[in-house]
Each structure stands twice: as structure tokens, then as C-alpha cells.
Amino acid sequence: DIQMTQSPSTLSASVGDRVTITCRASQSISSWLAWYQQKPGKAPKLLIYKASNLESGVPSRFSGSESGTEFTLTISSLQPDDFATYYCQHYHNYPWTFGQGTKVEMK
Amino acid sequence: EVQLLDSGGGLVQPGGSLRLSCAASGFSFESYVMSWVRQAPGRGLEWVSSITRTETTYYADSVKGRFTISRDNAKNMLFLQMNSLRADDTAVYYCAKSVTLEIDHWGQGTLVTVSS
């Protein structure tokens, strides 16, 4: 099974900060990676698919990139609505696996 | 508008069974991979099972042999039959729709609590 190692587990930041979250796959997943945002008590929301494609309706301050088996979610300028937990997920094959999550909290 | 309405959760004793349902609307249900993803209290997301358009099924090792995913394309319904439930199956279970394979829509979740 492919393991997804996400870091950091918690990130303290301020409004306007540039935020970067990393996910590393244990083997090649091509670009079959998604990023989700989840707020407490709510279902996750798709932000990025196929590593770098922005889901319709998602603000352009969110972006995704890849380098080999390392994937990055960047928020260019953190907004109040962005304080949440973020998960990566591979869908290269079954079983799908998620990263452990990164909680972005207010500094 | 895509809607996924999860239901069927509740309190069940260890070793018991429960059947989750997901009513889908707003898209061509039969054309998409559908899945169940769960989240234990205070924990991360865990993929549970998926079913393809041709009804090929996939399961996480943690539920294989105990859970069965199925779909009724005529009624736009997704199901998860859960048997031999254990305490570590306690979680919010989300019904999920995939577009290519990434999950683009989620249900609101239904809570399953396994406890005596």
C-alpha cells in the first residue's frame, strides 16, 4: 500500500502569511493526488486535483505543485476563512490513502 | 446541484450490524465511482470502500470481509452493509462521489457508534 506522509501536523500562521504544506508518497503516484480542506463538523472540500489543478470555485490563492513523490499545497496569502485542517490523498490505485492532516491555526 | 444524503448511522453493540444508505441526486449516478470514507472522533480521514460504474468493489484491509458496498443505479442509492462491528469502527461515515477519481462531492456524514 502507498503511504502518504504529510507535514507539518500543525502550523501556526497569521492572516496574510504564505503557507506551505507538504505530502510525500512512499512510491510514485504520478500526479494522482488531491488536496482537501475540512472545517470542524463539516465534510471535506476538494481544493486541488491531479496535483496542481484548481477545483472550480476555489480561490486562486490556493495552488498545488509536485516534484517526484513530493507534493505541496501553498496558500499564497492566508485569509481568515482558511483556518482549517488540510488533507492530501492519493488515488493512484486502491487502497486510497490520506495524509495525517495539517491543522492551520491562528498564531 | 449535486446532493448526497447519508443516513443509517446509530448506536450498535460490538458484533452487531448496521446498513448505511446514501441518496444521490443532481448527477448521473450510474456514471461515477462512489465511495465511503470515515473519520473517527478527533482523527483523520480513512478511505473505507469504493464501487465502480461496473460494480467492481474495493475495500480497506481494516473492513475487508466485514463490510459490503453496493449500489442501486435505478434508485440512485449507495449502501454500506457493516457486519461484525468493532469499537474501532466508531466514526462519521461519509458518502463520496468521484469525478475522475478525486472526490468532488461529499455527503454530510452519518455517525456510527459501536459500544456496549
Side-chain angles (χ1 to χ4, degrees), chain B residues 32-46:
Chain B
Y32 294 92
V33 171
M34 298 295 296
S35 303
W36 292 96
V37 175
R38 69 184 181 184
Q39 187 169 35
R43 305 295 295 273
L45 300 168
E46 180 188 15

Side-chain angles (χ1 to χ4, degrees), chain B residues 10-37:
Chain B
L11 175 63
V12 61
Q13 292 189 336
S17 298
L18 213 52
R19 188 193 197 206
L20 305 184
S21 300
C22 172
S25 60
F27 64 103
S28 298
F29 178 76
E30 67 277 6
S31 300
Y32 294 92
V33 171
M34 298 295 296
S35 303
W36 292 96
V37 175

Side-chain angles (χ1 to χ4, degrees), chain A residues 1 32-34 36 38 41-46 48-50 55 87 89 91-92 94-101, chain B residues 33 35 37 39 43-47 50-52 58-61 94 98-108:
Chain A
D1 298 356
W32 301 113
L33 183 108
Y36 303 92
Q38 187 180 33
K42 299 294 187 182
K45 173 188 172 183
L46 178 64
I48 301 285
Y49 64 95
K50 210 158 183 291
E55 173 69 351
Y87 295 92
Q89 178 230 339
Y91 47 101
H92 175 68
Y94 292 100
W96 297 347
T97 50
F98 290 85
Q100 302 92 323
Chain B
V33 171
S35 303
V37 175
Q39 187 169 35
R43 305 295 295 273
L45 300 168
E46 180 188 15
W47 171 79
S50 295
I51 184 166
T52 70
Y58 300 91
Y59 298 95
D61 285 347
Y94 294 102
S98 290
V99 52
T100 308
L101 282 179
E102 67 276 3
I103 296 172
D104 66 334
H105 286 89
W106 301 69
Q108 83 285 1

Side-chain angles (χ1 to χ4, degrees), chain A residues 13-19 61 75-80 82-83 104:
Chain A
S14 302
V15 173
D17 284 355
R18 182 180 181 88
V19 166
R61 61 181 180 272
I75 309 172
S76 60
S77 178
L78 195 68
Q79 298 302 301
D82 301 338
F83 292 100
V104 177

Side-chain angles (χ1 to χ4, degrees), chain B:
Chain B
E1 180 194 1
V2 172
Q3 284 199 328
L4 299 171
L5 294 178
D6 309 317
S7 62
L11 175 63
V12 61
Q13 292 189 336
S17 298
L18 213 52
R19 188 193 197 206
L20 305 184
S21 300
C22 172
S25 60
F27 64 103
S28 298
F29 178 76
E30 67 277 6
S31 300
Y32 294 92
V33 171
M34 298 295 296
S35 303
W36 292 96
V37 175
R38 69 184 181 184
Q39 187 169 35
R43 305 295 295 273
L45 300 168
E46 180 188 15
W47 171 79
V48 173
S49 181
S50 295
I51 184 166
T52 70
R53 297 183 304 163
T54 56
E55 303 199 17
T56 301
T57 58
Y58 300 91
Y59 298 95
D61 285 347
S62 57
V63 307
K64 202 171 292 181
R66 300 187 299 123
F67 291 10
T68 302
I69 191 172
S70 62
R71 64 193 301 164
D72 183 337
N73 290 336
K75 296 182 178 178
N76 291 352
M77 295 289 296
L78 178 71
F79 303 102
L80 186 69
Q81 177 67 42
M82 305 186 295
N83 299 330
S84 303
L85 283 161
R86 312 185 304 219
D88 62 358
D89 294 318
T90 294
V92 173
Y93 285 72
Y94 294 102
C95 167
K97 166 190 171 287
S98 290
V99 52
T100 308
L101 282 179
E102 67 276 3
I103 296 172
D104 66 334
H105 286 89
W106 301 69
Q108 83 285 1
T110 186
L111 176 62
V112 173
T113 303
V114 184
S115 174
S116 54

